[in-house]
Amino acid sequence: MEQGLEVALTDLQSSWNNVRHHTEEISSDRLLVRRGQAFNITLYFRKRGFQPGLDNIIFVAETGPLPDLSNGTRALFSLAGHHGPSPWIASLETNGASSLEVSLCAPPTAAVGRYLLKVHIDCFQKSVTAYQLGEFILLFNPWCPGDSVYLDSEPQRQEYVVNDYGFIYQGNKNWIRPCPWNYGQFEENIIDICLELLDKSLNFQIDPATDCALRGSPVYISRVVCAMINSNDDNGVLNGNWSESYLDGINPAEWTGSVAILKQWHATGCQPVRYGQCWVFAAIMCTVMRCLGIPTRVITNFDSGHDTDGNLIIDEYYDSTGRILENKKKDTVWNFHVWNECWMARKDLPPGYGGWQVLDATPQETSNGLYCCGPASVRAIKEGEVDLNYDTAFAFSMVNADCMSWLVYGGKEQKIHRDTNTVGNFISTKSIQSDERDDITENYKYIEGSPQERLVFMRALQKLKARRSEGPHKADSQHSTAVPLNGDSPRSLHMPSLRPSDIVQVSLKFQLLDPPNMGQDIRFVLLALNMSLQFKDLKVNLSAQSLLHDGSPLPPFWQDTAFITLSPEEAKTHSCRIPYSQYSQYLSTDKLIRISALGEEKNSPEKILVDKIITLAYPGIMINVLGAAIVNQPLSIQVLFSNPLSEHVADCVLTVEGSGLFKKQQRVLIGVLKPQHRASITLETVPFKSGQRQIQANLRSNKFKDIKGYRNVYVDLRL
């Protein structure tokens, strides 16, 4: 009597498969494959080999707690290829005396996640024996043309899926600085944490079967992840904090990577990590999405609008000294705001709106009841198609709202100026396979002031007005403060009594005399220019105040008044100086100071407002690699840093990390640094991954939080 076919052992060929599926950086021991691409496994049998025609092998792939054939979370597919309509494929590779190598392939639309692979063996159509072959993880596949996240450029795939470090641009549009970041999407346990994040979502908690069935859609997955990065609705990864009080957590400026945050979230039973702001939310989302296989990049928008009432106008209020006032409506222009773009097809939208999609994990207004934003098609934003899903209207306002200035005096508000160019400048992301910055503003908007740009603006405004008449709109918030090009944002404030033909006859402009370095006095001049043929007597009120990252003003800490008499076509300067001892105690973590001047001409209703936002700079950390970097060989790294201030600083802590270089973040307690003191330490490590790597470092103290530095390192595989 012929014996039955018994499986003795299964080789999932994890190491070989993972290389072919671009997942070898995650693991060589566990099987991680991408949908739409075949992978091979070998079955070893006990007493005899596979006999075609006698043995029928049916594979079973299951995902989620309630796998079901009807919703695609359970698949049955035969080696013979005739078992049912399943889109999963099994084909024979080699048939040995006691082994069988088969090729399996998930369809490019399959749900991503953790799968259990089984086999049913039907011998002589008499008995069926079932075996569990093992687990594997299925990911999105940007290398597969049939996948909705397919990206047809290998350099772009390497940058937006494989690269595990990058830069997040901060500062202001006149002083754009790259902040190094360790995404670390392939570090140990990160894939498991990403899958855990999906399982902790409200969608999964409410209806796990439907949630798992929908995980084949990058649109759906991106919305779930976006909501889970913040903790406003659930036990998401990060708590947001814009209060300047971080005593019970970490100041957002101190973070240099995603790995420590995600691992802390996991280790504490999925308790939200304290704290994050927009760039931290975006960086964590980039890590998760790249890990899952969706091409993702981090975007910074300078002068980012936060329009709370959906009229595409950001209202700003000033008093008679030129000081910006807190906005009761919470409309603000942030100096910068950071979000993500993810690459995917949009079959739910009209043709042409696929490609890069805006996703903003910073908790703002709700979208379908949850704090998330997007995906909003970048092309739809550029064309003003604000009625397309998801949350396109608010994304449009972040890059293309108008700014209205109001003068508040005597309990009254007076409209004084409308600026169509303030919002949305120098939209930036890291270049492909380069450390340079790419300006992608043209992807989001036509040239400011052009007929096309105004036409799109009016189209968007009309659609929003129509939608407001139907019900509440979706908005995003928590975005970043305004910063003027070349430093100045001059506005002529015409009172209503003036005729439209009146023109500005006097201009004001600020000019810095020295680079704005932390610890030094701020020296600048106010330049007044009379462009008329008459004498002008000016009274100018000057003030300085700190700004928070979200555009909120703090009380003024410096004020001055200048009386300037100008002859026809004459220019004069008024010198100003703000000592470090005066501004240091009022400075926010964002190191933003807004200086402003409001000029009044004698016997004239005309007023001139000018402001300048200054970002104070620190000297960076220097990192030197001492010797050649080789996998599994000791490597010495020298870190040089200094106290830039003319006073002692305490509680100094240096953190250093780098994927493939350090197993975990290095934390060095420095203690006290004397005024202007320079110091160095040497760290020892053993690189465990080859290729291009980056070291990120941060120095914090009781006086400053984010002195940063980085160094790129190429790690060779062998001597």
Tab-separated table of all heavy atoms in Angstrom, residues 243-273:
chain	number	residue	atom	x	y	z
A	243	SER	N	3.736	73.671	24.524
A	243	SER	CA	3.585	74.571	25.677
A	243	SER	C	4.899	75.141	26.183
A	243	SER	O	4.902	76.017	27.040
A	243	SER	CB	2.913	73.816	26.824
A	243	SER	OG	3.814	72.873	27.396
A	244	GLU	N	6.025	74.608	25.726
A	244	GLU	CA	7.356	74.965	26.249
A	244	GLU	C	7.624	74.346	27.626
A	244	GLU	O	8.622	74.655	28.257
A	244	GLU	CB	7.549	76.484	26.323
A	244	GLU	CG	7.611	77.168	24.978
A	244	GLU	CD	8.896	76.839	24.212
A	244	GLU	OE1	9.989	77.217	24.664
A	244	GLU	OE2	8.795	76.191	23.173
A	245	SER	N	6.730	73.470	28.099
A	245	SER	CA	6.942	72.784	29.379
A	245	SER	C	7.035	71.289	29.114
A	245	SER	O	6.047	70.652	28.745
A	245	SER	CB	5.795	73.080	30.344
A	245	SER	OG	5.963	72.351	31.546
A	246	TYR	N	8.243	70.729	29.337
A	246	TYR	CA	8.486	69.328	28.987
A	246	TYR	C	9.098	68.555	30.155
A	246	TYR	O	9.816	67.582	29.945
A	246	TYR	CB	9.421	69.250	27.778
A	246	TYR	CG	9.003	70.116	26.612
A	246	TYR	CD1	9.717	71.261	26.272
A	246	TYR	CD2	7.885	69.802	25.851
A	246	TYR	CE1	9.329	72.059	25.201
A	246	TYR	CE2	7.487	70.583	24.783
A	246	TYR	CZ	8.216	71.722	24.463
A	246	TYR	OH	7.825	72.506	23.408
A	247	LEU	N	8.812	68.978	31.376
A	247	LEU	CA	9.482	68.403	32.538
A	247	LEU	C	9.189	66.912	32.699
A	247	LEU	O	10.016	66.171	33.229
A	247	LEU	CB	9.068	69.149	33.812
A	247	LEU	CG	9.529	70.616	33.897
A	247	LEU	CD1	9.001	71.260	35.169
A	247	LEU	CD2	11.051	70.699	33.843
A	248	ASP	N	8.015	66.461	32.249
A	248	ASP	CA	7.661	65.050	32.405
A	248	ASP	C	7.915	64.244	31.134
A	248	ASP	O	7.345	63.158	30.949
A	248	ASP	CB	6.192	64.908	32.820
A	248	ASP	CG	5.241	65.565	31.827
A	248	ASP	OD1	5.718	66.357	30.985
A	248	ASP	OD2	4.024	65.297	31.906
A	249	GLY	N	8.778	64.760	30.262
A	249	GLY	CA	9.095	64.041	29.029
A	249	GLY	C	10.343	64.610	28.384
A	249	GLY	O	11.194	65.217	29.045
A	250	ILE	N	10.455	64.421	27.083
A	250	ILE	CA	11.608	64.886	26.309
A	250	ILE	C	11.190	66.080	25.459
A	250	ILE	O	10.145	66.046	24.795
A	250	ILE	CB	12.145	63.763	25.387
A	250	ILE	CG1	12.551	62.535	26.211
A	250	ILE	CG2	13.313	64.258	24.539
A	250	ILE	CD1	13.734	62.756	27.102
A	251	ASN	N	11.985	67.132	25.493
A	251	ASN	CA	11.769	68.271	24.599
A	251	ASN	C	11.847	67.775	23.151
A	251	ASN	O	12.802	67.089	22.773
A	251	ASN	CB	12.851	69.323	24.855
A	251	ASN	CG	12.614	70.602	24.101
A	251	ASN	OD1	12.316	70.597	22.908
A	251	ASN	ND2	12.755	71.726	24.786
A	252	PRO	N	10.841	68.067	22.319
A	252	PRO	CA	10.860	67.563	20.941
A	252	PRO	C	12.143	67.892	20.182
A	252	PRO	O	12.551	67.124	19.297
A	252	PRO	CB	9.649	68.251	20.296
A	252	PRO	CG	8.724	68.533	21.432
A	252	PRO	CD	9.610	68.845	22.604
A	253	ALA	N	12.790	68.998	20.517
A	253	ALA	CA	14.001	69.402	19.810
A	253	ALA	C	15.170	68.467	20.069
A	253	ALA	O	16.150	68.471	19.315
A	253	ALA	CB	14.389	70.834	20.204
A	254	GLU	N	15.096	67.646	21.130
A	254	GLU	CA	16.228	66.793	21.490
A	254	GLU	C	16.297	65.502	20.672
A	254	GLU	O	17.358	64.889	20.568
A	254	GLU	CB	16.156	66.433	22.977
A	254	GLU	CG	16.331	67.624	23.905
A	254	GLU	CD	16.263	67.214	25.362
A	254	GLU	OE1	16.713	66.091	25.687
A	254	GLU	OE2	15.751	67.998	26.182
A	255	TRP	N	15.173	65.057	20.123
A	255	TRP	CA	15.180	63.783	19.397
A	255	TRP	C	16.064	63.854	18.153
A	255	TRP	O	16.120	64.879	17.486
A	255	TRP	CB	13.768	63.402	18.959
A	255	TRP	CG	12.766	63.179	20.054
A	255	TRP	CD1	11.677	63.947	20.336
A	255	TRP	CD2	12.732	62.101	21.001
A	255	TRP	NE1	10.966	63.428	21.391
A	255	TRP	CE2	11.595	62.289	21.823
A	255	TRP	CE3	13.551	60.996	21.232
A	255	TRP	CZ2	11.250	61.412	22.853
A	255	TRP	CZ3	13.217	60.123	22.255
A	255	TRP	CH2	12.088	60.334	23.055
A	256	THR	N	16.731	62.745	17.838
A	256	THR	CA	17.528	62.657	16.607
A	256	THR	C	17.151	61.447	15.758
A	256	THR	O	17.751	61.225	14.709
A	256	THR	CB	19.037	62.584	16.932
A	256	THR	OG1	19.262	61.514	17.859
A	256	THR	CG2	19.544	63.889	17.527
A	257	GLY	N	16.173	60.667	16.204
A	257	GLY	CA	15.798	59.488	15.434
A	257	GLY	C	14.477	58.906	15.888
A	257	GLY	O	13.956	59.221	16.969
A	258	SER	N	13.933	58.022	15.046
A	258	SER	CA	12.635	57.396	15.303
A	258	SER	C	12.733	56.142	16.149
A	258	SER	O	11.767	55.772	16.828
A	258	SER	CB	11.976	57.030	13.967
A	258	SER	OG	11.857	58.133	13.106
A	259	VAL	N	13.864	55.446	16.086
A	259	VAL	CA	13.978	54.121	16.697
A	259	VAL	C	13.739	54.176	18.200
A	259	VAL	O	12.970	53.375	18.754
A	259	VAL	CB	15.343	53.490	16.373
A	259	VAL	CG1	15.496	52.144	17.075
A	259	VAL	CG2	15.505	53.316	14.867
A	260	ALA	N	14.381	55.118	18.879
A	260	ALA	CA	14.235	55.212	20.335
A	260	ALA	C	12.787	55.493	20.722
A	260	ALA	O	12.287	54.963	21.725
A	260	ALA	CB	15.154	56.315	20.879
A	261	ILE	N	12.096	56.293	19.930
A	261	ILE	CA	10.697	56.630	20.225
A	261	ILE	C	9.808	55.402	20.051
A	261	ILE	O	8.997	55.067	20.927
A	261	ILE	CB	10.234	57.785	19.321
A	261	ILE	CG1	11.026	59.057	19.635
A	261	ILE	CG2	8.734	58.030	19.469
A	261	ILE	CD1	10.793	60.192	18.659
A	262	LEU	N	9.944	54.713	18.919
A	262	LEU	CA	9.103	53.543	18.660
A	262	LEU	C	9.371	52.427	19.671
A	262	LEU	O	8.439	51.761	20.141
A	262	LEU	CB	9.332	53.043	17.238
A	262	LEU	CG	8.733	53.926	16.133
A	262	LEU	CD1	9.278	53.532	14.767
A	262	LEU	CD2	7.215	53.851	16.143
A	263	LYS	N	10.629	52.229	20.021
A	263	LYS	CA	10.948	51.173	20.986
A	263	LYS	C	10.439	51.524	22.385
A	263	LYS	O	10.011	50.635	23.137
A	263	LYS	CB	12.456	50.906	20.995
A	263	LYS	CG	12.922	50.163	19.749
A	263	LYS	CD	14.359	49.693	19.850
A	263	LYS	CE	14.731	48.828	18.645
A	263	LYS	NZ	16.111	48.305	18.733
A	264	GLN	N	10.476	52.807	22.744
A	264	GLN	CA	9.928	53.211	24.044
A	264	GLN	C	8.418	52.990	24.067
A	264	GLN	O	7.865	52.513	25.069
A	264	GLN	CB	10.255	54.681	24.333
A	264	GLN	CG	9.731	55.166	25.681
A	264	GLN	CD	10.073	56.614	25.964
A	264	GLN	OE1	11.129	57.109	25.563
A	264	GLN	NE2	9.178	57.318	26.656
A	265	TRP	N	7.742	53.334	22.972
A	265	TRP	CA	6.296	53.126	22.890
A	265	TRP	C	5.952	51.643	23.089
A	265	TRP	O	5.043	51.296	23.841
A	265	TRP	CB	5.781	53.623	21.535
A	265	TRP	CG	4.324	53.409	21.299
A	265	TRP	CD1	3.282	54.106	21.859
A	265	TRP	CD2	3.723	52.437	20.431
A	265	TRP	NE1	2.081	53.630	21.397
A	265	TRP	CE2	2.314	52.606	20.522
A	265	TRP	CE3	4.237	51.449	19.586
A	265	TRP	CZ2	1.426	51.811	19.787
A	265	TRP	CZ3	3.351	50.655	18.854
A	265	TRP	CH2	1.963	50.845	18.961
A	266	HIS	N	6.696	50.786	22.441
A	266	HIS	CA	6.464	49.341	22.557
A	266	HIS	C	6.786	48.833	23.964
A	266	HIS	O	6.005	48.074	24.556
A	266	HIS	CB	7.313	48.607	21.522
A	266	HIS	CG	7.398	47.130	21.737
A	266	HIS	ND1	6.354	46.267	21.466
A	266	HIS	CD2	8.410	46.354	22.228
A	266	HIS	CE1	6.711	45.036	21.772
A	266	HIS	NE2	7.949	45.057	22.226
A	267	ALA	N	7.922	49.271	24.504
A	267	ALA	CA	8.393	48.748	25.790
A	267	ALA	C	7.481	49.143	26.946
A	267	ALA	O	7.433	48.444	27.966
A	267	ALA	CB	9.820	49.225	26.056
A	268	THR	N	6.758	50.249	26.809
A	268	THR	CA	5.884	50.725	27.893
A	268	THR	C	4.440	50.263	27.709
A	268	THR	O	3.517	50.851	28.286
A	268	THR	CB	5.931	52.256	27.986
A	268	THR	OG1	5.549	52.815	26.718
A	268	THR	CG2	7.317	52.740	28.357
A	269	GLY	N	4.235	49.224	26.905
A	269	GLY	CA	2.887	48.740	26.685
A	269	GLY	C	2.055	49.669	25.838
A	269	GLY	O	0.847	49.817	26.042
A	270	CYS	N	2.709	50.319	24.881
A	270	CYS	CA	2.049	51.221	23.926
A	270	CYS	C	1.480	52.466	24.604
A	270	CYS	O	0.394	52.957	24.246
A	270	CYS	CB	0.974	50.498	23.122
A	270	CYS	SG	1.597	49.048	22.249
A	271	GLN	N	2.221	52.995	25.573
A	271	GLN	CA	1.878	54.291	26.157
A	271	GLN	C	2.535	55.393	25.329
A	271	GLN	O	3.718	55.288	24.985
A	271	GLN	CB	2.362	54.366	27.604
A	271	GLN	CG	1.624	53.422	28.537
A	271	GLN	CD	0.133	53.680	28.557
A	271	GLN	OE1	-0.323	54.797	28.844
A	271	GLN	NE2	-0.653	52.653	28.235
A	272	PRO	N	1.796	56.451	25.005
A	272	PRO	CA	2.359	57.508	24.157
A	272	PRO	C	3.643	58.098	24.741
A	272	PRO	O	3.764	58.310	25.957
A	272	PRO	CB	1.244	58.555	24.113
A	272	PRO	CG	-0.011	57.774	24.355
A	272	PRO	CD	0.369	56.686	25.315
A	273	VAL	N	4.587	58.346	23.858
A	273	VAL	CA	5.882	58.913	24.248
A	273	VAL	C	5.745	60.425	24.320
A	273	VAL	O	5.117	61.061	23.459
A	273	VAL	CB	6.974	58.518	23.227
A	273	VAL	CG1	8.305	59.169	23.577
A	273	VAL	CG2	7.112	56.997	23.173
